[in-house]
Amino acid sequence: MLARGTRSLAIPAAVLLAVALVGGCGDNTPADLRPGAMVATTSAPAAAPPAATTAPPAADADQEYPSEECPPAGNAKKFAKTRFALHAGLALGAFYRYIYRPLRSGGFKTGAEKRKRTFAKAAVAGLFTVHELKVAKRFAVANPTLCKGVTAVAAGFNNLTSKLKSGTATEADLAASKNAFNGLQQKATQNGYGFKEKNVTVPGAS
């Protein structure tokens, strides 16, 4: 009985000793060695705030819709009709000023004065016309039918421009281009995208 009592008293005494040691050392323990401090020092450092980013520059209006394919459904675009009319009108203006009117005045005929120069200027204007039609198409994708119409005219002008460069364009080629433009104008008007010829000066063709 005495041995059992001695053992039972030894356990609480050991517990009391441990508590006393912990309590007595609490104030002298370095702050960075305390349990709480250890957790704080081993935790991941606070993440730095994300660096300020500059918004990417807005895409150039002419590059807004670079796809070569006409979509199956309409897409909403800001000022699409106005911008389509601008670029289609510039294309038509270049065609009339540098290609069609010189044709009407006989500037492409064999023996015509400055015939080679007239062809060269017309070729430059043809490239400008193709470019403006492609830009116009990007704003016509809100209307798949109109988009396809612009594509057809641009393809025809690619062929015409090649002939103008080689000096082999005929009156029939130019008349076909005029008819294509007339058809595009009709289509555009029917779909609410009407455009008119705009006065334009093409660098390298004047």
Side-chain angles (χ1 to χ4, degrees):
M1 292 295 291
L2 181 58
R4 185 181 302 174
T6 303
R7 286 197 300 270
S8 63
L9 291 174
I11 294 174
V15 172
L16 291 174
L17 179 59
V19 171
L21 288 173
V22 172
C25 295
D27 294 337
N28 297 325
T29 304
D32 57 351
L33 294 181
R34 294 174 187 171
M38 291 295 289
V39 173
T41 55
T42 55
S43 59
T53 55
T54 303
D60 185 89
D62 292 354
Q63 302 301 321
E64 189 172 355
Y65 298 94
S67 174
E68 293 299 323
E69 298 298 328
C70 293
N75 292 323
K77 290 176 293 300
K78 293 180 180 179
F79 308 111
K81 292 182 180 181
T82 302
R83 296 162 90 176
F84 169 82
L86 169 64
H87 292 285
L90 290 172
L92 183 60
F95 169 70
Y96 272 121
R97 178 174 179 177
Y98 297 101
I99 301 175
Y100 187 71
R101 291 194 182 111
L103 160 70
R104 298 280 294 178
S105 64
F108 292 116
K109 291 182 178 179
T110 303
E113 186 179 359
K114 299 181 180 178
R115 180 173 179 268
K116 288 184 178 180
R117 177 169 173 75
T118 301
F119 264 107
K121 290 166 63 174
V124 172
L127 291 173
F128 175 86
T129 300
V130 171
H131 173 264
E132 291 301 307
L133 285 171
K134 286 183 177 180
V135 174
K137 174 188 169 183
R138 294 176 186 134
F139 296 105
V141 294
N143 186 298
T145 300
L146 185 58
C147 179
K148 292 175 183 176
V150 178
T151 300
V153 176
F157 262 91
N158 272 324
N159 183 49
L160 174 63
T161 301
S162 296
K163 290 185 176 182
L164 288 171
K165 286 180 180 179
S166 62
T168 59
T170 65
E171 292 188 9
D173 293 324
L174 300 177
S177 296
K178 181 179 182 298
N179 291 336
F181 253 124
N182 290 342
L184 178 61
Q185 278 187 299
Q186 291 176 3
K187 237 177 221 185
T189 300
Q190 291 169 1
N191 289 278
Y193 279 71
F195 66 94
K196 295 180 180 180
E197 172 189 355
K198 292 189 178 297
N199 186 30
V200 60
T201 299
V202 178
S206 299

